[in-house]
Amino acid sequence: MSVSAKSETTLFVCITCRAEVGGNAPDDQPRAGARLYAAIEAVPSELRPALTVVPVECLSNCNRACTVAVTAPGKWTYVLGALDPEVHAHDVLAFARLHQQHEAGLPPWRERPEYIRKNTVARVPALAVPRTEQEASLP
Amino acid sequence: MSVSAKSETTLFVCITCRAEVGGNAPDDQPRAGARLYAAIEAVPSELRPALTVVPVECLSNCNRACTVAVTAPGKWTYVLGALDPEVHAHDVLAFARLHQQHEAGLPPWRERPEYIRKNTVARVPALAVPRTEQEASLP
């Protein structure tokens, strides 16, 4: 895979999420989603190369907050939920690296962090992805 | 919005979903996802103009089956779940039409079928969507 393709991976982080895991933050504290975004941004950039991290207002997964989505042009999009801002920043980045490294954005199941495996909310194919590619690596 | 943009809307339907709503199909019957796909395809084409319906193997929303996703180039992607193949084909198509008609793929909240409002699993922005556009219409 080309370097340019790697550079196009985007991680959307919902900054309006209230936590499901570990209870909600008091009203005078930053929301859990904003804290997850800060935790990801605090990871040294050499551990998240060529990944664009974008804060977003609501990914409509409020029942299973906190939520992120990993996507790239021509690849599958994954939505991950029930994330704890104090615990899961590195798991999210590990999943994003696997997504980056796979040409179709299909991280190998066994290599995914266990918590991410259990808390994948949905995935959506790239537009015009060949049917055989979808079937090659489930789910 | 141009006709060409309208023609590019895609509805992915998970055909491996087992039903959550109304119980699972017996093993010798088509799966609920396959029946939802058939129900959508059975709707007269004039009621689903310029919509490409694509069967997919697993959208990773198994806990809230049946599942579809609506997307188009440059627009938000929506994942809808807990769909009953005997009940919700027209609701899905109504939502897809609203998505088609909105330039950014953000169906007006009040116009969405009530069941879809309550069973939206996630949404993901288009890549490089302007921040102000995200904020304009929540969730």
Side-chain angles (χ1 to χ4, degrees):
Chain A
M1 202 180 70
S2 69
V3 172
S4 68
K6 280 191 183 178
S7 72
E8 290 172 356
T9 301
T10 296
L11 174 67
F12 292 110
V13 182
C14 177
I15 56 169
T16 48
C17 271
R18 299 175 184 277
E20 176 193 69
V21 182
N24 290 343
D27 283 348
D28 61 343
Q29 299 290 316
R31 288 193 180 192
R35 286 185 287 125
L36 177 61
Y37 175 66
I40 290 169
E41 286 281 88
V43 173
S45 55
E46 59 267 27
L47 297 181
R48 47 185 175 93
L51 179 70
T52 304
V53 183
V54 179
V56 182
E57 314 261 345
C58 194
L59 292 172
S60 287
N61 179 45
C62 316
N63 291 342
R64 289 181 71 189
C66 296
T67 309
V68 304
V70 184
T71 190
K75 294 189 177 186
W76 285 79
T77 296
Y78 277 80
V79 181
L80 316 175
L83 300 166
D84 184 328
E86 269 64 67
V87 177
H88 295 126
H90 283 276
D91 278 358
V92 167
L93 290 171
F95 184 88
R97 277 194 300 276
L98 293 172
H99 186 276
Q100 243 175 353
Q101 288 161 4
H102 191 283
E103 200 169 354
L106 291 164
W109 180 260
R110 288 173 183 276
E111 296 177 32
R112 300 178 196 180
E114 185 180 354
Y115 191 84
I116 302 297
R117 261 187 256 162
K118 294 180 177 171
N119 291 283
T120 296
V121 173
R123 64 172 198 166
V124 181
L127 289 168
V129 69
R131 181 70 180 279
T132 51
E133 197 167 79
Q134 294 173 23
E135 292 172 348
S137 177
L138 296 175
Chain B
M1 201 181 69
S2 70
V3 172
S4 68
K6 279 190 184 178
S7 72
E8 291 172 355
T9 300
T10 296
L11 175 66
F12 292 110
V13 182
C14 177
I15 56 169
T16 49
C17 270
R18 299 174 185 280
E20 177 195 69
V21 182
N24 290 343
D27 283 348
D28 62 344
Q29 299 291 315
R31 289 195 180 189
R35 286 185 286 124
L36 178 60
Y37 175 66
I40 289 168
E41 287 281 87
V43 172
S45 56
E46 59 267 28
L47 297 181
R48 45 186 174 93
L51 179 70
T52 304
V53 183
V54 179
V56 182
E57 313 261 345
C58 194
L59 292 173
S60 286
N61 180 44
C62 315
N63 291 343
R64 290 181 70 189
C66 296
T67 309
V68 304
V70 183
T71 189
K75 294 188 178 186
W76 285 79
T77 296
Y78 277 80
V79 181
L80 315 175
L83 300 167
D84 184 328
E86 269 65 66
V87 178
H88 295 127
H90 283 276
D91 277 358
V92 167
L93 290 171
F95 184 87
R97 277 194 300 276
L98 294 172
H99 185 276
Q100 244 175 354
Q101 288 161 5
H102 191 282
E103 199 169 354
L106 291 165
W109 179 261
R110 288 173 183 277
E111 296 177 31
R112 301 179 195 179
E114 185 180 356
Y115 191 84
I116 302 297
R117 261 187 256 161
K118 293 179 177 171
N119 291 283
T120 296
V121 172
R123 65 172 197 167
V124 181
L127 289 168
V129 69
R131 181 69 181 279
T132 50
E133 198 167 77
Q134 293 174 24
E135 292 172 347
S137 180
L138 297 174

